[in-house]
Amino acid sequence: RMIHHKCRLGFYSTSNVKRFEVTEDKVPWDVEYPEYKPVEYTSPVLKGKPWADPEIGEPSFKPKWNSLDGKINRRSFVGDYVINEAGYPLNPIGRTGIAKRGLLGRWGPNHAADPIVTRWKRDAQGVIEKNEDTKRPILQFVAIKRRDTGAWAIPGGMVDPGETVSATLKREFMEEAMSSLGQDKEERNKLEKSMKEFFEKGDEIYKGYVDDPRNTDNAWMETVALNFHDDDHSVFGNIMLVAGDDASKAKWMDIDNRLNLYASHAEFIRKIVEKYGAHW
Ligand code: RP5
Ligand code: MG
Ligand code: MG
């Protein structure tokens, strides 16, 4: 049974709202917890945002839970989620200490996509570098530093209504890690084309719930994470990573067991390490 950690402890992400304490054993909804009084919190930033749902109970708001609601995907990868008596969807993993939406725009699942772009670490001669202890080759991935929490992360983002996951993967990667301006049109087109090809063939690494610090009892993150491997540096060899949008830095980060990343991103990376037998 999955349990969440980063959306259960201390203060709600980038706020001064303290979560109601939920110990690990009290996470599942089927464990009785009569004293449970989650703090209600919806960030004021959601007000009037076209990408955010209206309040539950607003007469015009008739969400189709657990289904494709027009262009909005309200299905969960975890399975059908429960709607409580008051009409609020319940986090499929369990209690978080916060009720309402927090910073998340959608009630229920908020769908994201995470592009994990990897390559082998090579020295100046192009020889793949191995770790001295494990003798295994070292993988690198494109990491960005998030502006909201300052944590290093995969350059992922939300799937827009009606958008395909593959379009989100490429768009978010280019926005957050390749925002170099001042290129001429021809160069820009060439780059677009090469990225389009590169992001066509990925390997699905994870699909499901994310232990995101923004999760609440009624809204949570889910993602599809795909790995795109530039084996011989032929795609990214000449491309400079430039942070943009909600990222303040972008770089190739060496992968090992000290990785400390946003949400459950290190778990996704770990799966890629296993796939390639790389150093950890
Ligand atoms: C995480 O939040 C996902 O794994 C994805 O990386 C990210 C999407 O949210 P934003 O980057 O758009 O804030 O849960
Ligand atoms: Mg983004
Ligand atoms: Mg993002």
Side-chain angles (χ1 to χ4, degrees), residues 39-57:
V39 181
E40 289 190 3
Y41 178 61
T42 299
S43 166
V45 306
L46 298 189
K47 225 180 158 67
K49 290 293 185 323
W51 46 264
D53 284 337
E55 291 301 324
I56 298 253

Side-chain angles (χ1 to χ4, degrees), residues 266-279:
E267 274 175 42
F268 309 161
I269 304 285
R270 180 74 212 261
K271 289 184 198 225
I272 297 171
V273 166
E274 272 157 29
K275 174 175 106 176
Y276 290 113
H279 168 65

Side-chain angles (χ1 to χ4, degrees), residues 13-280:
S13 192
T14 66
S15 80
N16 49 18
V17 181
K18 187 119 173 42
R19 290 178 184 266
F20 188 94
E21 182 160 321
V22 181
T23 50
E24 209 165 300
D25 55 306
K26 296 288 196 331
V27 169
W29 294 109
D30 53 18
V31 173
E32 283 202 43
Y33 193 8
E35 305 84 23
Y36 183 57
K37 272 209 172 50
V39 181
E40 289 190 3
Y41 178 61
T42 299
S43 166
V45 306
L46 298 189
K47 225 180 158 67
K49 290 293 185 323
W51 46 264
D53 284 337
E55 291 301 324
I56 298 253
E58 252 178 51
S60 64
F61 184 45
K62 298 196 176 65
K64 294 194 181 74
W65 304 122
N66 289 304
S67 39
L68 193 60
D69 184 3
K71 286 185 172 179
I72 302 163
N73 181 10
R74 298 194 191 274
R75 284 174 305 208
S76 166
F77 290 126
V78 186
D80 277 2
Y81 48 88
V82 172
I83 308 300
N84 71 10
E85 319 80 69
Y88 292 83
L90 287 187
N91 185 313
I93 303 303
R95 299 182 178 98
T96 68
I98 297 276
K100 304 282 171 88
R101 267 178 299 176
L103 284 159
L104 297 177
R106 304 279 172 212
W107 298 101
N110 287 251
H111 286 282
D114 283 299
I116 310 173
V117 174
T118 54
R119 70 176 189 189
W120 295 111
K121 184 177 191 181
R122 289 173 195 265
D123 66 16
Q125 281 69 48
V127 179
I128 295 177
E129 290 187 40
K130 291 192 171 140
N131 177 270
E132 284 180 15
D133 299 321
T134 65
K135 311 274 185 277
R136 286 174 184 266
I138 299 167
L139 266 179
Q140 297 180 313
F141 83 105
V142 174
I144 55 100
K145 196 170 159 68
R146 295 181 62 95
R147 279 190 199 280
D148 57 356
T149 64
W152 284 93
I154 299 162
M158 305 291 185
V159 181
D160 289 338
E163 190 179 39
T164 62
V165 166
S166 62
T168 310
L169 290 162
K170 172 176 156 284
R171 179 179 57 73
E172 287 291 337
F173 186 87
M174 294 195 70
E175 282 174 11
E176 298 188 8
M178 286 182 57
S179 92
S180 45
L181 299 163
Q183 281 162 344
D184 62 61
K185 212 172 157 195
E186 202 178 312
E187 228 177 292
R188 188 96 225 149
N189 288 344
K190 229 174 88 193
L191 193 64
E192 272 282 346
K193 194 167 160 271
S194 115
M195 285 303 115
K196 195 167 174 284
E197 276 167 28
F198 182 68
F199 282 105
E200 255 156 29
K201 36 183 197 311
D203 185 10
E204 194 178 295
I205 295 298
Y206 180 81
K207 188 190 251 179
Y209 184 87
V210 186
D211 187 7
D212 189 293
R214 293 169 293 186
N215 293 351
T216 72
D217 285 2
N218 311 119
W220 60 91
M221 292 298 309
E222 298 199 8
T223 198
V224 185
L226 267 77
N227 176 215
F228 302 90
H229 188 63
D230 185 19
D231 197 59
D232 53 3
H233 293 209
S234 63
V235 181
F236 286 97
N238 296 317
I239 292 175
M240 242 230 308
L241 300 177
V242 181
D245 202 41
D246 43 15
S248 64
K249 288 179 186 172
K251 69 170 183 187
W252 286 98
M253 184 179 273
D254 290 2
I255 297 176
D256 65 27
N257 64 8
R258 289 166 307 181
L259 270 192
N260 179 15
L261 302 178
Y262 183 75
S264 28
H265 288 183
E267 274 175 42
F268 309 161
I269 304 285
R270 180 74 212 261
K271 289 184 198 225
I272 297 171
V273 166
E274 272 157 29
K275 174 175 106 176
Y276 290 113
H279 168 65
W280 178 248

